[in-house]
Amino acid sequence: SQQGEEDPQALSIQEGENATMNCSYKTSINNLQWYRQNSGRGLVHLILIRSNEREKHSGRLRVTLDTSKKSSSLLITASRAADTASYFCATDNYGQNFVFGPGTRLSVLP
Amino acid sequence: EAGVVQSPRYKIIEKKQPVAFWCNPISGHNTLYWYLQNLGQGPELLIRYENEEAVDDSQLPKDRFSAERLKGVDSTLKIQPAELGDSAVYLCASSFSQGGTEAFFGQGTRLTVV
């Protein structure tokens, strides 16, 4: 079963625009992580946010976490064509396994 | 530092044949995962190892799938016999420990069963 659920399933934007994708989950978590997957490749870790953190930044990425709403968002600013990929959130449930959502497919058009 | 290495990258087999995938995790990583990823879906856990012990294999179809992690380093995932529905990408990942750390993924093995 999948704990996280990303929204939207697919997103298409123009280069230079910002992209926002959301993740909702069901049970309490230790931390939440975002991964990127380019077509035909493995997953690449982007950012980890712990349950006691509310916001985290890494370059053009901004992640927020609202544990009261059991949701997280990933914002990519000033998007580039190279950002075209699928983005997954994964929840870490206190020593259990990373549980991935179905992902958001982002297309950045030049 | 080398990442997680998987082989082969691609495999095409006929149904009912056996197949094996190999994974070499990052040196020093105690936790090793095998995930299955269907097209357009997120990865789903098959088995998790802490060193050489399989601590979660609840999602592994044990009638046809088996895995081992000898000496707590490399791991092999086997399917025997393969079915058409096993066509997917098999991903291996490793991390220092479960909980609070990122997982590093290999490129995956794309299996096609015909």
Side-chain angles (χ1 to χ4, degrees), chain B residues 1-2 17 24-25 31 38 41 57-59 76 98 101 103 107:
Chain B
E1 177 184 303
Q17 294 301 305
N24 177 234
T31 306
N38 289 303
Q41 298 295 315
D57 62 356
S58 57
Q59 302 302 314
T76 303
Q98 171 60 22
T101 62
Q107 298 284 3

mmCIF file of all heavy atoms in Angstrom, chain B residues 1-2 17 24-25 31 38 41 57-59 76 98 101 103 107:
data_model
loop_
_atom_site.group_PDB
_atom_site.id
_atom_site.type_symbol
_atom_site.label_atom_id
_atom_site.label_comp_id
_atom_site.label_asym_id
_atom_site.label_seq_id
_atom_site.Cartn_x
_atom_site.Cartn_y
_atom_site.Cartn_z
ATOM 1 N N GLU B 1 33.242 8.307 -5.038
ATOM 2 C CA GLU B 1 32.619 7.140 -4.408
ATOM 3 C C GLU B 1 31.607 6.542 -5.373
ATOM 4 O O GLU B 1 30.792 7.253 -5.951
ATOM 5 C CB GLU B 1 31.915 7.557 -3.125
ATOM 6 C CG GLU B 1 31.171 6.430 -2.447
ATOM 7 C CD GLU B 1 30.406 6.905 -1.211
ATOM 8 O OE1 GLU B 1 31.031 7.471 -0.315
ATOM 9 O OE2 GLU B 1 29.192 6.721 -1.174
ATOM 10 N N ALA B 2 31.695 5.219 -5.565
ATOM 11 C CA ALA B 2 30.761 4.560 -6.466
ATOM 12 C C ALA B 2 29.392 4.535 -5.820
ATOM 13 O O ALA B 2 29.247 4.423 -4.611
ATOM 14 C CB ALA B 2 31.249 3.152 -6.757
ATOM 15 N N GLN B 17 10.815 -18.988 -17.216
ATOM 16 C CA GLN B 17 12.259 -19.070 -17.053
ATOM 17 C C GLN B 17 12.682 -18.386 -15.748
ATOM 18 O O GLN B 17 11.987 -17.507 -15.241
ATOM 19 C CB GLN B 17 12.979 -18.417 -18.230
ATOM 20 C CG GLN B 17 12.780 -19.147 -19.540
ATOM 21 C CD GLN B 17 13.273 -20.576 -19.461
ATOM 22 O OE1 GLN B 17 14.426 -20.850 -19.116
ATOM 23 N NE2 GLN B 17 12.389 -21.513 -19.782
ATOM 24 N N ASN B 24 25.086 -4.252 -5.791
ATOM 25 C CA ASN B 24 26.227 -3.939 -4.941
ATOM 26 C C ASN B 24 25.964 -2.587 -4.303
ATOM 27 O O ASN B 24 25.986 -1.560 -4.998
ATOM 28 C CB ASN B 24 27.512 -3.922 -5.753
ATOM 29 C CG ASN B 24 28.716 -3.517 -4.919
ATOM 30 O OD1 ASN B 24 29.449 -2.593 -5.266
ATOM 31 N ND2 ASN B 24 28.938 -4.195 -3.820
ATOM 32 N N PRO B 25 25.682 -2.529 -3.010
ATOM 33 C CA PRO B 25 25.334 -1.259 -2.370
ATOM 34 C C PRO B 25 26.565 -0.388 -2.132
ATOM 35 O O PRO B 25 27.702 -0.812 -2.365
ATOM 36 C CB PRO B 25 24.734 -1.705 -1.041
ATOM 37 C CG PRO B 25 25.469 -2.980 -0.731
ATOM 38 C CD PRO B 25 25.693 -3.642 -2.066
ATOM 39 N N THR B 31 21.791 -0.941 5.414
ATOM 40 C CA THR B 31 20.425 -1.236 4.981
ATOM 41 C C THR B 31 20.367 -1.349 3.468
ATOM 42 O O THR B 31 20.908 -0.497 2.760
ATOM 43 C CB THR B 31 19.458 -0.140 5.448
ATOM 44 O OG1 THR B 31 19.582 0.025 6.866
ATOM 45 C CG2 THR B 31 18.018 -0.520 5.133
ATOM 46 N N ASN B 38 6.422 -0.452 -11.302
ATOM 47 C CA ASN B 38 5.681 -0.600 -12.537
ATOM 48 C C ASN B 38 5.610 0.741 -13.251
ATOM 49 O O ASN B 38 5.736 1.808 -12.634
ATOM 50 C CB ASN B 38 4.271 -1.134 -12.254
ATOM 51 C CG ASN B 38 4.279 -2.584 -11.829
ATOM 52 O OD1 ASN B 38 4.784 -3.452 -12.546
ATOM 53 N ND2 ASN B 38 3.737 -2.876 -10.665
ATOM 54 N N GLN B 41 4.203 4.254 -11.949
ATOM 55 C CA GLN B 41 3.911 4.095 -10.522
ATOM 56 C C GLN B 41 5.149 4.386 -9.676
ATOM 57 O O GLN B 41 6.257 4.458 -10.182
ATOM 58 C CB GLN B 41 3.425 2.671 -10.240
ATOM 59 C CG GLN B 41 2.145 2.298 -10.958
ATOM 60 C CD GLN B 41 0.972 3.123 -10.497
ATOM 61 O OE1 GLN B 41 0.775 3.330 -9.293
ATOM 62 N NE2 GLN B 41 0.180 3.622 -11.430
ATOM 63 N N ASP B 57 10.117 -8.757 4.727
ATOM 64 C CA ASP B 57 9.893 -9.374 3.412
ATOM 65 C C ASP B 57 8.416 -9.665 3.224
ATOM 66 O O ASP B 57 8.044 -10.565 2.476
ATOM 67 C CB ASP B 57 10.725 -10.643 3.255
ATOM 68 C CG ASP B 57 10.360 -11.723 4.280
ATOM 69 O OD1 ASP B 57 9.508 -11.451 5.159
ATOM 70 O OD2 ASP B 57 10.933 -12.823 4.207
ATOM 71 N N SER B 58 7.591 -8.903 3.899
ATOM 72 C CA SER B 58 6.157 -9.154 3.891
ATOM 73 C C SER B 58 5.529 -8.967 2.506
ATOM 74 O O SER B 58 4.475 -9.535 2.229
ATOM 75 C CB SER B 58 5.446 -8.246 4.903
ATOM 76 O OG SER B 58 5.714 -6.889 4.622
ATOM 77 N N GLN B 59 6.143 -8.144 1.667
ATOM 78 C CA GLN B 59 5.594 -7.908 0.329
ATOM 79 C C GLN B 59 6.271 -8.751 -0.745
ATOM 80 O O GLN B 59 5.967 -8.577 -1.927
ATOM 81 C CB GLN B 59 5.737 -6.412 -0.022
ATOM 82 C CG GLN B 59 5.045 -5.490 0.968
ATOM 83 C CD GLN B 59 3.570 -5.782 1.103
ATOM 84 O OE1 GLN B 59 2.860 -5.950 0.109
ATOM 85 N NE2 GLN B 59 3.105 -5.885 2.332
ATOM 86 N N THR B 76 21.274 -10.537 -4.067
ATOM 87 C CA THR B 76 20.711 -11.094 -5.284
ATOM 88 C C THR B 76 19.218 -11.299 -5.085
ATOM 89 O O THR B 76 18.782 -11.776 -4.040
ATOM 90 C CB THR B 76 21.364 -12.448 -5.620
ATOM 91 O OG1 THR B 76 22.777 -12.275 -5.740
ATOM 92 C CG2 THR B 76 20.825 -12.986 -6.931
ATOM 93 N N GLN B 98 18.200 2.467 8.679
ATOM 94 C CA GLN B 98 16.801 2.799 8.467
ATOM 95 C C GLN B 98 16.403 3.896 9.440
ATOM 96 O O GLN B 98 16.643 3.822 10.609
ATOM 97 C CB GLN B 98 15.908 1.588 8.680
ATOM 98 C CG GLN B 98 14.424 1.902 8.677
ATOM 99 C CD GLN B 98 13.943 2.511 7.383
ATOM 100 O OE1 GLN B 98 14.570 2.350 6.349
ATOM 101 N NE2 GLN B 98 12.831 3.218 7.421
ATOM 102 N N THR B 101 17.671 8.815 7.353
ATOM 103 C CA THR B 101 18.734 8.978 6.374
ATOM 104 C C THR B 101 18.189 8.742 4.976
ATOM 105 O O THR B 101 17.211 8.034 4.787
ATOM 106 C CB THR B 101 19.892 7.998 6.624
ATOM 107 O OG1 THR B 101 19.411 6.665 6.488
ATOM 108 C CG2 THR B 101 20.469 8.192 8.018
ATOM 109 N N ALA B 103 18.076 7.348 1.128
ATOM 110 C CA ALA B 103 18.416 6.116 0.427
ATOM 111 C C ALA B 103 18.990 6.464 -0.933
ATOM 112 O O ALA B 103 18.543 7.393 -1.593
ATOM 113 C CB ALA B 103 17.167 5.243 0.271
ATOM 114 N N GLN B 107 20.497 2.200 -10.803
ATOM 115 C CA GLN B 107 19.795 2.551 -12.041
ATOM 116 C C GLN B 107 18.629 1.624 -12.322
ATOM 117 O O GLN B 107 17.769 1.937 -13.138
ATOM 118 C CB GLN B 107 20.776 2.504 -13.220
ATOM 119 C CG GLN B 107 21.928 3.477 -13.114
ATOM 120 C CD GLN B 107 21.523 4.892 -13.432
ATOM 121 O OE1 GLN B 107 20.366 5.185 -13.688
ATOM 122 N NE2 GLN B 107 22.484 5.797 -13.400
#
